[in-house]
Amino acid sequence: MTRTPNPTRPSTGFPIWAVAFALLCAGIGPVASPALYAQTNGTLLGRVINASTSNGVVGVEVRLDGGRRIATSDSTGEYRIRAVPAGTHSLGVVWPGYRAARRDDIVVRSDEVTRVDIRLAPVAVQLSDLRAVGVQDPVLDPFATATSQRIDEQDFRRLPVSTLEDALSLQAGVVGESYRGGRIGQQAFLLDGFGLKNQLDASTGAVGIRIPPDLITEASLITNGFSARYGQALSGLINVVTRDGGERWRGRVAYETDRPVSGTADLGLDRVVLQGDGPIAGRVTAVGIIDLTGRLDADPVNAPRPDDPLDPRSDRPAPLPHNSAETWTVGGKLTIPVGEKVVGRIFGITTADQRYLYDQQYKYDTDFAPGSRTNGKLLTGHLQLLPSQTSRHPILGDLRVGWFDREFSRGTVDAPDYRVGAFTGRRLEILGEDIARAQDTVAARKAIDGFAQPQLSARTPWGVPAFFVGGASQGEIAWNSFSELRSQLDLTLGMGRNTDVFVGGLVASQDVKTFQRVLAYRPVGGIVPPATASAFSPTISAAYIEGQTRSDELAVVAGVRYDAFSPGGDLGNETLVSRSSINPRIAVSTVLKGATLVASVGRFAQAPDLQFLVDAAFDDTTRTGRFRQGNPNLGFEKATQFEFSTRFRVQEQSSLKINLYMKSLDGLVATAPLGVNPDSSRFVNGDVGNVSGLEVIFERERHNGWGARLAGVVQKAEATVTDAFELQRLIQ
């Protein structure tokens, strides 16, 4: 049951020390976004070889990036450098009796092993500088058991994309925000090892944080075989690694537009980017960015030009009227080395996104259509313990603390007043937002000042059809706030040259507030439901253990993850209990006749949207009616995924990947009618589904100035309900 918050009730927000920490970090750099799991580092290993004898050289110091990290070769000449940040690096060796050697442009990817063997020439022997022999091919690497597609910082420059979402849409298996047939909200977003998810309304609302491409070192989409370190996802993981500041100052100023093009290709885009990074004191580096984006058509729809000259789209079929958006993003990151074994990072970003929303009912009076505003803030602190490269059993530790805040408002707004392109230069005001923020359900019982009853439109070419309205808004007020304070510890234990063990866990304290009122120009009663409000404090926790080992050309990754969530006792339900789920996962891979074969199976679970736990009122009857009853006893949504894949080299610069997968889902959240009332519903864990498909990805790596990727997917997805707000139970 949903309760009305007591105005005298103490705040359920975060303790004073957390707020003080956030303010302190905000003074150093702009605020940022929330947390979960993900590796942001890779591993570099190889063998130091005497070029004359082909024997291993013992005790050689291998220097990474000019000596920032140093590893020493063992009795067989092998070296290993763990926790190497994803990106491009250099290796150098200066050793008595041998010629100095160096190799630049070594690409290290997160969660992967890169092998570079080093041939050293004795002083008396003429040999070119450092060469890599037997470099581990990432296509054939058996340790790469997850199905992933990667985009690096160079790809963002080369591809015609303006956002991370644009780049992800080019990957196989992606349709909009659906990954391998999954519903929106069944994916998790990982930022520098932190899991970021809008747990309140992930199936209907965006995360709230936008990561500018100029801040990204690497982004990868993982659609199956993801390890026990990752949770809160059924269909995919988006793993983003942001850049650290460089050793010297550099910057970029850019303006991007699509105004010169025409037709549906012209979305009215204007984008301005200011980015810079470099050292600020000693080894402390910083990176900062300002990204301003405006689109006159923020949600483009392909439709033919209307024949009727009175139709507002007859002159310009694109963009849609009253459909613009402006997004302001400011972010920054500090990298602070503390001695030789500890590195600290502070990352912050804030995004303000406001939109005018096209509404078909207001097709001929577009200025009365609604608008929305979403503000997101993320602030994270990361303390990393680097392993001793000389230890036989090194330990790598990552302690992360993050604060995430997302606020959403939707309702009646003034008509657009654009200054430049889609930019208004002012904050979008929502009528009645003061009542919503106060969660004042008593004051909301009466008709709210400022609202007027809409009338049938007189601007249509057919007179006054009943569907089209104008003169005033529908009287909707929707507001919610979601905050999370999360702590996460991840440890990597080296058990030898070819074996690692990962252990860790997290605990997250959340604070949720919601308010909704419909038909605000009329008092409550009759067909007008009362305003709904809720305030509660859920918690999420998880723990995992996983091991990976490799013997010759065989690799095994196996682990188990424990997930739990509690909706919070504030919901006032006596039967309310915490939910938990145990999810095992295993993947086996081997190299056979020049091809890598991978088989994986895993069980995955994610907590439902918190919006499904509480009562709510909606203005749009297609979203389950004007009133919807929450269910605080909802459990986990779950999936079991199987996959068999093969990867091989077609030629030296080209590869082919074939992935065959099947996913079985159960306990999906769905709506069911309450009795015989067609205008209300309740949520249950009653639906099931399955997804099966085949992906074929051919890629030619960039060589001699050009590269290409061709992907094809054949997929079948079925579920009793694929939209959490679909009232009727249909096979789709």
Side-chain angles (χ1 to χ4, degrees):
M1 298 295 293
T2 305
R3 63 177 185 80
T4 301
N6 188 336
T8 62
R9 178 178 178 270
S11 170
T12 58
F14 301 120
I16 295 297
W17 68 265
V19 178
F21 174 74
L23 292 175
L24 173 63
C25 295
I28 301 175
V31 218
S33 72
L36 204 138
Y37 301 160
Q39 282 282 50
T40 60
N41 305 312
T43 298
L44 192 62
L45 60 79
R47 187 167 180 242
V48 182
I49 304 169
N50 186 313
S52 298
T53 64
S54 297
N55 295 327
V57 184
V58 183
V60 174
E61 289 187 350
V62 180
R63 297 176 177 268
L64 179 70
D65 297 333
R68 286 190 175 185
R69 301 281 300 282
I70 299 176
T72 303
S73 60
D74 62 15
S75 59
T76 64
E78 292 278 349
Y79 74 93
R80 181 168 186 160
I81 306 178
R82 289 179 168 87
V84 179
T88 304
H89 299 271
S90 63
L91 272 183
V93 174
V94 178
W95 200 241
Y98 296 89
R99 296 183 180 278
R102 179 181 177 86
R103 181 183 175 89
D104 297 315
D105 301 324
I106 298 173
V107 177
V108 176
R109 294 178 169 178
S110 60
D111 253 354
E112 287 191 4
V113 176
T114 302
R115 184 176 183 89
V116 179
D117 291 343
I118 304 169
R119 294 169 57 91
L120 287 181
V123 173
V125 177
Q126 295 293 329
L127 192 68
S128 60
D129 282 349
L130 180 66
R131 292 192 303 162
V133 293
V135 174
Q136 179 64 61
D137 189 337
V139 173
L140 301 179
D141 183 9
F143 252 163
T145 56
T147 302
S148 63
Q149 301 173 70
R150 298 178 185 267
I151 312 134
D152 61 28
E153 56 186 329
Q154 296 301 322
D155 291 331
F156 281 107
R157 298 286 182 88
R158 295 166 181 153
L159 295 174
V161 297
S162 300
T163 65
L164 173 62
E165 292 74 20
D166 291 342
L168 291 173
S169 68
L170 299 177
Q171 310 308 305
V174 178
V175 180
E177 293 183 65
S178 171
Y179 303 92
R180 278 196 174 177
R183 191 177 64 206
I184 295 174
Q186 290 183 349
Q187 74 276 12
F189 189 90
L190 311 170
L191 181 63
D192 287 339
F194 253 51
L196 173 61
K197 191 164 187 174
N198 164 25
Q199 192 65 41
L200 176 59
D201 52 3
S203 63
T204 56
V207 172
I209 295 296
R210 180 177 179 271
I211 307 300
D214 293 79
L215 206 57
I216 298 175
T217 293
E218 175 188 276
S220 57
L221 172 63
I222 306 173
T223 49
N224 204 355
F226 41 94
S227 77
R229 287 170 286 172
Y230 312 129
Q232 287 186 275
L234 299 184
S235 63
L237 298 163
I238 303 161
N239 183 14
V240 174
V241 181
T242 62
R243 64 165 61 184
D244 290 338
E247 297 180 351
R248 54 188 176 83
W249 276 100
R250 57 183 178 176
R252 178 172 180 255
V253 178
Y255 170 72
E256 178 184 359
T257 183
D258 61 5
R259 300 301 181 87
V261 298
S262 61
T264 56
D266 180 8
L267 303 179
L269 169 67
D270 291 287
R271 178 171 176 245
V272 179
V273 179
L274 294 89
Q275 183 268 331
D277 67 276
I280 57 175
R283 294 193 298 162
V284 178
T285 62
V287 58
I289 191 167
I290 299 175
D291 190 312
L292 313 178
T293 302
R295 292 178 186 262
L296 289 171
D297 196 1
D299 186 18
V301 177
N302 291 325
R305 181 190 298 273
D307 296 330
D308 196 313
L310 294 179
D311 192 305
R313 296 187 63 242
S314 61
D315 294 333
R316 281 192 79 192
L320 287 173
H322 199 86
N323 196 44
S324 66
E326 54 186 303
T327 305
W328 304 65
T329 299
V330 179
K333 183 178 183 181
L334 285 176
T335 303
I336 310 169
V338 183
E340 298 298 325
K341 297 294 179 63
V342 178
V343 177
R345 294 180 177 89
I346 299 174
F347 178 80
I349 194 165
T350 180
T351 297
D353 180 273
Q354 54 190 39
R355 298 171 180 257
Y356 293 95
L357 306 174
Y358 179 76
D359 189 328
Q360 181 69 13
Q361 291 188 92
Y362 289 92
K363 180 177 181 179
Y364 298 95
D365 295 85
T366 55
D367 287 346
F368 297 102
S372 69
R373 189 183 66 249
T374 304
N375 294 324
K377 300 181 180 68
L378 174 67
L379 184 65
T380 65
H382 176 200
L383 200 61
Q384 184 177 52
L385 172 66
L386 299 176
S388 171
Q389 304 299 336
T390 58
S391 172
R392 296 185 59 186
H393 302 289
I395 298 177
L396 167 66
D398 292 280
L399 175 63
R400 298 179 173 95
V401 178
W403 173 69
F404 172 53
D405 180 81
R406 176 187 181 272
E407 184 181 62
F408 170 81
S409 300
R410 173 187 162 117
T412 301
V413 296
D414 292 333
D417 181 17
Y418 300 122
R419 303 290 179 84
V420 178
F423 291 106
T424 63
R426 63 182 180 87
R427 186 174 185 266
L428 193 64
E429 298 296 335
I430 310 291
L431 185 60
E433 189 174 7
D434 54 339
I435 295 177
R437 284 173 171 270
Q439 297 184 284
D440 192 344
T441 56
V442 176
R445 286 184 174 274
K446 62 181 182 180
I448 298 176
D449 293 339
F451 287 94
Q453 183 171 357
Q455 305 295 323
L456 297 179
S457 175
R459 299 186 180 183
T460 70
W462 307 280
V464 188
F467 180 78
F468 300 105
V469 294
S473 73
Q474 288 287 350
E476 174 192 14
I477 306 173
W479 173 86
N480 63 58
S481 172
F482 173 75
S483 300
E484 180 181 81
L485 180 64
R486 182 178 299 225
S487 300
Q488 176 185 320
L489 177 64
D490 299 292
L491 296 174
T492 301
L493 313 176
M495 308 303 291
R497 184 181 304 166
N498 295 319
T499 302
D500 287 319
V501 175
F502 309 97
V503 296
L506 70 84
V507 59
S509 174
Q510 300 171 338
D511 187 66
V512 179
K513 294 181 176 67
T514 67
F515 180 92
Q516 285 149 339
R517 170 73 156 92
V518 297
L519 307 178
Y521 54 86
R522 298 180 58 179
V524 169
I527 66 169
V528 182
T532 60
S534 65
F536 57 105
S537 303
T539 58
I540 289 180
S541 57
Y544 68 88
I545 181 169
E546 182 175 75
Q548 65 177 21
T549 185
R550 175 175 175 175
S551 175
D552 296 327
E553 301 299 336
L554 178 69
V556 179
V557 179
V560 62
R561 179 182 177 86
Y562 170 83
D563 289 285
F565 86 96
S566 172
D570 298 357
L571 289 175
N573 188 301
E574 294 181 358
T575 64
L576 193 64
V577 295
S578 298
R579 309 290 187 182
S580 62
S581 178
I582 296 178
N583 307 297
R585 304 168 193 184
I586 185 170
V588 179
S589 65
T590 187
V591 177
L592 182 64
K593 294 184 178 180
T596 297
L597 308 178
V598 183
S600 66
V601 60
R603 183 72 169 166
F604 307 88
Q606 70 175 29
D609 283 10
L610 300 176
Q611 63 172 325
F612 302 150
L613 308 182
V614 298
D615 296 348
F618 290 101
D619 184 48
D620 182 356
T621 56
T622 63
R623 300 180 73 191
T624 75
R626 298 196 189 282
F627 180 77
R628 184 198 72 200
Q629 183 175 332
N631 182 359
N633 287 311
L634 288 176
F636 280 98
E637 295 183 301
K638 298 181 179 180
T640 302
Q641 301 189 40
F642 306 86
E643 180 174 83
F644 180 80
S645 64
T646 180
R647 314 186 296 263
F648 57 90
R649 286 285 181 188
V650 179
Q651 294 178 342
E652 183 179 357
Q653 302 296 333
S654 59
S655 63
L656 184 65
K657 301 177 183 178
I658 303 174
N659 307 317
L660 179 65
Y661 56 88
M662 183 176 69
K663 178 167 55 178
S664 176
L665 304 108
D666 60 84
L668 300 182
V669 175
T671 56
L674 282 173
V676 296
N677 183 2
D679 204 27
S680 62
S681 62
R682 178 179 175 86
F683 287 104
V684 295
N685 282 114
D687 285 315
V688 297
N690 61 77
V691 181
S692 57
L694 175 69
E695 294 174 348
V696 179
I697 305 172
F698 173 81
E699 185 171 11
R700 184 192 188 277
E701 298 165 5
R702 187 176 177 85
H703 183 66
N704 293 332
W706 72 279
R709 170 184 284 188
L710 179 64
V713 181
V714 178
Q715 180 175 269
K716 180 181 180 182
E718 290 183 328
T720 54
V721 171
T722 57
D723 182 350
F725 289 99
E726 182 69 47
L727 178 61
Q728 298 178 351
R729 302 170 66 84
L730 301 175
I731 298 295
Q732 297 190 356

